[in-house]
Amino acid sequence: MSVSTVPASKRTKKAVLFGAIAAVVLVAAAVAGNYWWTEHNRPSQASKADCALAQQLVDSVKEIPGDKAGIEKWEKSVQQGRKQLKDGYLAFNISNFHGMAAMKAKGEGAPTEKRVTEVSDKANEHCADARAVIEFPPLAS
């Protein structure tokens, strides 16, 4: 039989201290992991200049010509504008909006209000840090 030389109360105190330290380390690891996961899955963030340019590109939808040749010319013009956006994900959402606007102008169907809202919400996620909100005109019929 072995005999312990450390009194039971000291062992208990050490076990409680070790448990508390382990709990603090685990909580810190969970907080750090959550922060990393949130930042990793967050949408890219566009600059204030990109968001301002995106607003100009969105506003250009109000100027779409009525004839097919004019619409195609407009599409090429806004494509050049989108190439100036540094945030490609923002540019992608603006491109989707332009595509829906061009289809409507050509008489190929209007998007649903839900679809326009989805695209505008996704685009605005990229302008959150810039504290900019891109206002999208309605396209739905």
Side-chain angles (χ1 to χ4, degrees):
M1 226 173 160
S2 73
V3 178
S4 175
T5 59
V6 178
S9 63
K10 271 192 165 182
R11 280 190 304 217
T12 304
K13 286 180 184 178
K14 283 184 180 182
V16 168
L17 180 62
F18 178 75
I21 290 171
V24 168
V25 169
L26 286 173
V27 167
V31 168
N34 182 48
Y35 177 78
W36 174 84
W37 184 257
T38 302
E39 286 298 310
H40 176 72
N41 291 316
R42 185 174 179 220
S44 63
Q45 292 300 298
S47 67
K48 194 164 191 91
D50 262 5
C51 295
L53 177 56
Q55 182 65 65
Q56 291 174 357
L57 292 166
V58 165
D59 289 342
S60 73
V61 166
K62 299 172 187 173
E63 310 297 324
I64 296 179
D67 62 301
K68 192 170 183 172
I71 295 169
E72 289 176 7
K73 184 178 178 184
W74 174 83
E75 286 178 304
K76 287 180 182 171
S77 169
V78 293
Q79 181 182 26
Q80 292 302 315
R82 287 192 309 267
K83 286 182 180 180
Q84 295 175 25
L85 292 171
K86 291 180 177 66
D87 187 305
Y89 295 104
L90 176 60
F92 175 76
N93 288 298
I94 302 302
S95 178
N96 280 341
F97 183 71
H98 283 157
M100 291 186 289
M103 284 179 62
K104 180 180 178 188
K106 291 176 186 175
E108 297 173 0
T112 64
E113 188 174 328
K114 180 181 177 188
R115 179 70 181 127
V116 173
T117 301
E118 287 172 356
V119 169
S120 68
D121 287 349
K122 286 181 182 179
N124 276 307
E125 286 177 359
H126 297 280
C127 291
D129 283 359
R131 292 192 174 106
V133 177
I134 304 169
E135 297 291 331
F136 285 76
L139 292 180
S141 306

